[in-house]
Amino acid sequence: MLDLFADEEPWQEPLAPGAVVLRRFALAQVSALMQGIAQVASQSPQRHMVTPGGYTMSVAMTNCGSLGWTTNQQGYLYSPIDPQTQRPWPAMPEAFSALCRQASVAAGYPDFRPDACLINRYAPGAKLSLHQDKDEPDLRAPIVSVSLGLPAIFQFGGLKRNDPLKRLMLEHGDIVVWGGPSRLFYHGIAPLKSGYHPITGECRYNLTFRQAGNNE
Ligand code: SIN
Ligand code: FE2
């Protein structure tokens, strides 16, 4: 399939110490990424997880890689098994690993080896409240976050929940990488505005790559 819009040249925007936005970095690989999402979701379907507090998340999620982020009544955890299918999460598609490798190098984290990729799907109105990514045991590894489809407003704060927020629009093909001093910075996604994107239709996808195991 032809990668529409792939002719735009990527550029970088510094976001915070250890954090950078790689604008349009994923554009050239969008077809393979979309195929990867479809393949993963055909094995481990996207689902609305329920938080330990009993709240059903508005974002639909699935995972690929050796570990997947999920919820249960006790809390948030990484599991090698999809609790819905009782089978291992699908393997990480080669196109995912390759893009993550390139983005990590570009952002200054050449040693990053993700073992988990969370696939988020946002329909209009879906949001992710301000949170820290802190379920991973080794916080030396960064977070690599790929945006596809409809644009969304990304909020990026600091180490404290009430630190001032930067608000930036993440568009199709953008990648945010944060690690080092900003690894535990609060972030979130404002409710998705409805619209239509030629590649994803009426939704936004986000791929979040993490090292969720100890990597030893
Ligand atoms: C996340 O914080 O886990 C996802 C952020 C995003 O959807 O861009
Ligand atoms: Fe997050």
Side-chain angles (χ1 to χ4, degrees), residues 145-199:
S145 172
V146 181
S147 293
L148 297 168
L150 288 179
I153 295 174
F154 183 58
Q155 305 152 328
F156 198 76
L159 284 173
K160 295 196 296 289
R161 181 175 284 280
N162 54 10
D163 281 337
L165 296 176
K166 287 183 178 163
R167 286 183 177 74
L168 48 149
M169 186 76 93
L170 293 182
E171 295 186 74
H172 185 60
D174 290 350
I175 302 184
V176 187
V177 182
W178 65 98
S182 54
R183 175 61 180 76
L184 287 174
F185 278 19
Y186 276 89
H187 58 280
I189 292 285
L192 194 81
K193 207 167 149 324
S194 48
Y196 179 84
H197 190 279
I199 302 290

Side-chain angles (χ1 to χ4, degrees), residues 131 133 187 210:
H131 67 279
D133 286 13
H187 58 280
R210 305 191 181 104

Side-chain angles (χ1 to χ4, degrees), residues 8 19 27 46 55 68 74 82 87 98 100 110 128-129 160 198:
E8 198 175 4
L27 277 190
Q46 249 135 357
Y55 161 79
Q74 279 71 51
D82 176 349
R87 294 167 50 83
C100 183
L128 209 53
S129 307
K160 295 196 296 289

Side-chain angles (χ1 to χ4, degrees), residues 91-104:
M92 206 180 293
E94 182 49 41
F96 285 27
S97 318
L99 174 66
C100 183
R101 208 152 46 228
Q102 293 165 3
S104 309

